[in-house]
Structure formats: C-alpha cells, structure tokens
Amino acid sequence: MKTFKKVYIEITSVCNLACTFCPPTERKANFIKLDAFTAVLDQIKPHTNHIYLHVKGEPLLHPKLDELLDAAHDRGFKVNITTNGTLINKAKPKLLGKPAIRQMNFSLHSFDGHIGSTDRERYLSDIFSFVREVVAFNVLVSFRLWNLQRDEATIAERRRNRETLELLEREFGLDYKIEEKVVPGGGIKVAERIYLNQDHEFDWPSLQAPEDEGKGFCHALRSHSAILVDGTVVPCCLDGEGVINLGNVHQTSFSDIVEGERANRLIDGFSRREAVEELCRKCGYRKRFGM
C-alpha cells in the first residue's frame, strides 16, 4: 500500500481574493460537507497522518472549519492550513486551541497579488496578532513570499516586498535585513516556531501552456496526492482543475485509485524521468528536480 507524507484535501473551491498569480478555477463553487470530509479521512488514514486543507480556494471561508479540525484530530491527523490571511480575525475562534493544527502558512504574496488590496500594515498586524496567540499552542508558522521574479524585478516590486519585510523585521525585532539572509527556495527562522520562506513565483500548469519534451521528475503520488472538494483524486496540488482525474473517492476507494493503472503509469513514467500525462509535460515544477 502506498504511503504519503501528506494528502491535500480541498475543503472549498471558493476564494475571497482574485490574485494575478492564481488562475480562478472553472469548477463549481463548493464547500465540503462534514460527513464527506470524515469519509475522506477514513479512506486516507492507512496512507498518511498529515493533511493540507487546500488545493484551490481559501480554507478559512469554510463555515464549519472548527468541526473539520475536530474530526481530523479525532482520527489522529496533523493539519497544515495555507491561507491568504485576510479572514484571520473572523476565523480565529475556530482555530485557536485546536490540537489538530500542526502548521499555519500565510501566503503574504496574496496582498500584492490581489489588485484591490489596501492597508498592508493593517493586513499584517491582524496576522501578527493571531500568530502571537497561536504559537502558544505549539503551532508552527510559515510566512510565504512566493513572488520573486526570475528576471530583474521592477523597482515597484522590490519596494512592495521591502514594505512587507520591514514590517516583519519590526514585529520580530530583527537586527538585519531579511534579504541578507534568505535565499530563493529557502527560509529563515525569525522567532521561535516562526519562519519566513521566499521563493520564485510559479506558473500553474495549464493544458493551454506550451509543451516541452517532457523530461524531468516529480514526487506526485510518491510523497503526496490531492483530493478536490467533489472527491476527485489528482496526483498533486497543482492540478487545480482535476485534469488528471484518477477517480472519485465517493465511487471508488482512495486505496484502489492510487494503486490504479493511470496512477502507476504516471509514477513509472517519472521513474524514467518522463512525463506521461499531457498536463505534466506542461508543468515547469518537475524541472526543479533535475532533467
């Protein structure tokens, strides 16, 4: 039986922002129901103890997030939540003290990625206030700035990032500029249990993107898999449209799906460093692991 470091469970396909770096899903707006969520948890339990509550969508929008976290804890799962952070005040009562939560990831690049964002200082102040409380429950926190440009960034882009980094430096009393320490793809510890990670912006794979020779490697279905809000199983969290539909957990067991012919064909292909799926041939992420 395949075991995974993590399984992504999308609890909603809805987001409250429209970020330039994140193409909107064409799938139906949906929120997972508690009974469907628990059924998914029971199916994946033999495969992993760690779940991430996103693929697309903003998980803090889910009206029963606290009940989902309780259900995960009852079954022994550790939960990572990735959020844009804009709803953190409203969601705080559903998050604080929940023993299932292992880590909170804040996508700070969402602020500049969303055209309508205003008041950076207030946005970060609300997040910092929550972080000060949640780390007392031994939760890890990762601030993410995944908006570095591979070519020379514009003056405006550098200035926006500097404003965010300056507020981080002030909040955590850093006596250095973060740019002097962090490297793309890496992170630094800014306080106990609190980290900052910077990386280049990545392009979501799309069937409309150009296709290359398809060489490379990916950890999809080796270290992780993902389940969309309607139960569709996909190889990884970058298949936000369910293009590589391996099956649906409401019709076929998760175990049978990840051991199925299409899943194994994908894995065997990457063992040869070949992308056998069209979407994988149009995804640049596999190039991070060598050609």
Side-chain angles (χ1 to χ4, degrees), residues 89-195:
N89 281 345
K90 184 176 181 180
K92 184 185 294 189
K94 298 177 181 178
L95 296 169
L96 287 180
K98 292 297 183 184
I101 301 177
R102 173 186 173 270
Q103 182 166 322
M104 294 287 302
N105 303 315
F106 291 94
S107 299
L108 302 185
H109 45 276
S110 302
F111 183 86
D112 289 316
H114 179 67
I115 302 301
S117 295
T118 58
D119 200 347
R120 184 191 311 271
E121 191 158 356
R122 175 62 183 273
Y123 165 71
L124 287 170
S125 176
D126 288 345
I127 292 174
F128 293 156
S129 176
F130 171 80
V131 166
R132 286 193 291 270
E133 294 184 68
V134 79
V135 292
F137 295 96
N138 293 321
V139 173
L140 295 168
V141 172
S142 172
F143 296 121
R144 295 177 171 181
L145 269 178
W146 289 2
N147 61 355
L148 298 178
Q149 304 300 310
R150 297 195 179 276
D151 299 320
E152 185 65 24
T154 66
I155 293 175
E157 287 167 341
R158 288 199 301 270
R159 186 182 67 246
R160 288 195 292 266
N161 267 3
R162 175 92 293 271
E163 290 172 1
T164 294
L165 296 176
E166 197 170 276
L167 290 166
L168 280 159
E169 291 159 3
R170 185 200 310 169
E171 170 68 19
F172 297 104
L174 305 183
D175 59 0
Y176 56 84
K177 286 193 172 184
I178 288 172
E179 298 98 316
E180 299 169 357
K181 302 270 187 175
V182 72
V183 295
I188 60 171
K189 184 176 181 178
V190 297
E192 191 63 33
R193 308 188 71 81
I194 302 173
Y195 300 83

Side-chain angles (χ1 to χ4, degrees), residues 24-272:
T25 180
E26 296 179 6
R27 293 180 287 120
K28 176 184 174 183
N30 202 353
F31 291 84
I32 199 167
K33 291 182 169 53
L34 180 60
D35 58 349
F37 182 72
T38 56
V40 168
L41 293 181
D42 291 340
Q43 289 196 45
I44 69 170
K45 184 59 183 172
H47 298 269
T48 191
N49 291 318
H50 292 264
I51 58 175
Y52 285 56
L53 299 186
H54 74 282
V55 175
K56 286 294 188 76
E58 168 52 53
L60 301 195
L61 279 172
H62 200 290
K64 295 188 176 180
L65 178 59
D66 50 348
E67 296 180 37
L68 301 185
L69 290 170
D70 289 340
H73 177 65
D74 289 344
R75 289 160 177 77
F77 287 97
K78 290 298 182 183
V79 178
N80 284 36
I81 297 176
T82 298
T83 172
N84 59 45
T86 56
L87 304 172
I88 197 63
N89 281 345
K90 184 176 181 180
K92 184 185 294 189
K94 298 177 181 178
L95 296 169
L96 287 180
K98 292 297 183 184
I101 301 177
R102 173 186 173 270
Q103 182 166 322
M104 294 287 302
N105 303 315
F106 291 94
S107 299
L108 302 185
H109 45 276
S110 302
F111 183 86
D112 289 316
H114 179 67
I115 302 301
S117 295
T118 58
D119 200 347
R120 184 191 311 271
E121 191 158 356
R122 175 62 183 273
Y123 165 71
L124 287 170
S125 176
D126 288 345
I127 292 174
F128 293 156
S129 176
F130 171 80
V131 166
R132 286 193 291 270
E133 294 184 68
V134 79
V135 292
F137 295 96
N138 293 321
V139 173
L140 295 168
V141 172
S142 172
F143 296 121
R144 295 177 171 181
L145 269 178
W146 289 2
N147 61 355
L148 298 178
Q149 304 300 310
R150 297 195 179 276
D151 299 320
E152 185 65 24
T154 66
I155 293 175
E157 287 167 341
R158 288 199 301 270
R159 186 182 67 246
R160 288 195 292 266
N161 267 3
R162 175 92 293 271
E163 290 172 1
T164 294
L165 296 176
E166 197 170 276
L167 290 166
L168 280 159
E169 291 159 3
R170 185 200 310 169
E171 170 68 19
F172 297 104
L174 305 183
D175 59 0
Y176 56 84
K177 286 193 172 184
I178 288 172
E179 298 98 316
E180 299 169 357
K181 302 270 187 175
V182 72
V183 295
I188 60 171
K189 184 176 181 178
V190 297
E192 191 63 33
R193 308 188 71 81
I194 302 173
Y195 300 83
L196 170 74
N197 297 88
Q198 281 198 276
D199 208 343
H200 293 107
E201 182 178 322
F202 66 85
D203 295 321
W204 284 83
S206 166
L207 292 178
Q208 282 67 55
E211 186 173 321
D212 60 24
E213 72 285 356
K215 297 296 182 182
F217 181 79
C218 182
H219 292 281
L221 294 174
R222 294 176 189 268
S223 69
H224 60 275
S225 181
I227 304 173
L228 303 182
V229 67
D230 68 350
T232 299
V233 178
V234 292
C236 73
C237 65
L238 294 184
D239 187 359
E241 292 304 302
V243 173
I244 308 175
N245 184 343
L246 301 174
N248 192 293
V249 293
H250 302 312
Q251 299 157 3
T252 307
S253 75
F254 181 78
S255 295
D256 287 345
I257 290 170
V258 297
E259 295 289 355
E261 180 182 350
R262 189 174 186 181
N264 283 321
R265 191 167 65 243
L266 183 148
I267 294 169
D268 293 342
F270 279 125
S271 294
R272 304 187 303 270

